[in-house]
Amino acid sequence: MPALRVLLLLRGAVGVLLALVALLAPASTPVAQALGRNGLYALCDGLLALAVAFSLSKAARFNWLFVLALVDALIRLAIGAVALAYPDIEARILGSVAFVGGTVTACIALGAVGLIYVLAGRRAGQRGGAAAALFVSACTLLLGVGLLIGFGSAEARHLLIGLFALAVGLCLLVTGFRLKSSPAAFPV
């Protein structure tokens, strides 16, 4: 359980730091471009998410979330790897359409499936981690919809991703702190 807590706190802190950079620095600054354009954040977050997934699999109470967390991690790793391998993909029209389309589809699918999975798990009596997973799934779905409906400029996408990273990062931080305060009665 301590490893899960540390990983949640680390992943939350990384998300909040990205959010601060995204919200405070214009999209054109080198730091913002390094985090967003080359997929560095997505890759780091994907690696941390993968560690969280395997940590969840070791805790019997959170075992039911393993598949959802694993799929989430793999999608984040794929997005980060593609963005890292092709840093100028947004500059190419066809590459941009495929990359953004794939990202939007992944966000909407992962968010919707996550919501359904968590709600079905809650009905089946599997409560460990449900509230946090529900919140993160809803944020992921909203990110996909937001990207779909017209956050066309780089600044607007930058703001949307910053808000997403802030919401998810804070959720993970709160979850990590709550895990320490009462691990036996941890409803979230």
Side-chain angles (χ1 to χ4, degrees):
M1 191 77 72
L4 177 60
R5 177 180 177 268
V6 169
L7 289 168
L8 288 172
L9 291 172
L10 183 60
R11 189 170 174 213
V14 169
V16 169
L17 286 175
L18 169 81
L20 292 175
V21 169
L23 295 173
L24 299 177
S28 59
T29 62
V31 172
Q33 288 181 346
L35 285 172
R37 271 193 135 170
N38 69 9
L40 188 59
Y41 169 72
L43 201 57
C44 289
D45 190 48
L47 289 171
L48 287 170
L50 192 61
V52 167
F54 286 110
S55 185
L56 285 171
S57 72
K58 294 178 183 173
R61 190 174 50 204
F62 304 116
N63 203 6
W64 69 281
L65 284 173
F66 170 72
V67 173
L68 181 62
L70 182 63
V71 170
D72 175 62
L74 294 175
I75 288 173
R76 291 174 192 276
L77 283 170
I79 289 170
V82 168
L84 197 59
Y86 304 101
D88 61 342
I89 195 165
E90 287 187 20
R92 299 181 197 149
I93 293 175
L94 184 57
S96 178
V97 169
F99 183 68
V100 173
T103 303
V104 167
T105 303
C107 287
I108 291 173
L110 186 61
V113 168
L115 287 172
I116 293 166
Y117 186 76
V118 172
L119 291 173
R122 285 188 74 150
R123 287 193 188 103
Q126 299 164 321
R127 293 190 34 94
L134 194 64
F135 181 78
V136 171
S137 294
C139 286
T140 304
L141 177 64
L142 290 174
L143 174 65
V145 170
L147 290 171
L148 181 67
I149 62 171
F151 283 88
S153 73
E155 289 292 331
R157 283 192 309 272
H158 197 71
L159 176 66
L160 181 66
I161 290 169
L163 292 172
F164 169 77
L166 182 64
V168 171
L170 289 174
C171 175
L172 293 171
L173 283 172
V174 167
T175 302
F177 284 122
R178 287 191 65 196
L179 189 59
K180 180 185 185 222
S181 65
S182 61
F186 186 64
V188 177

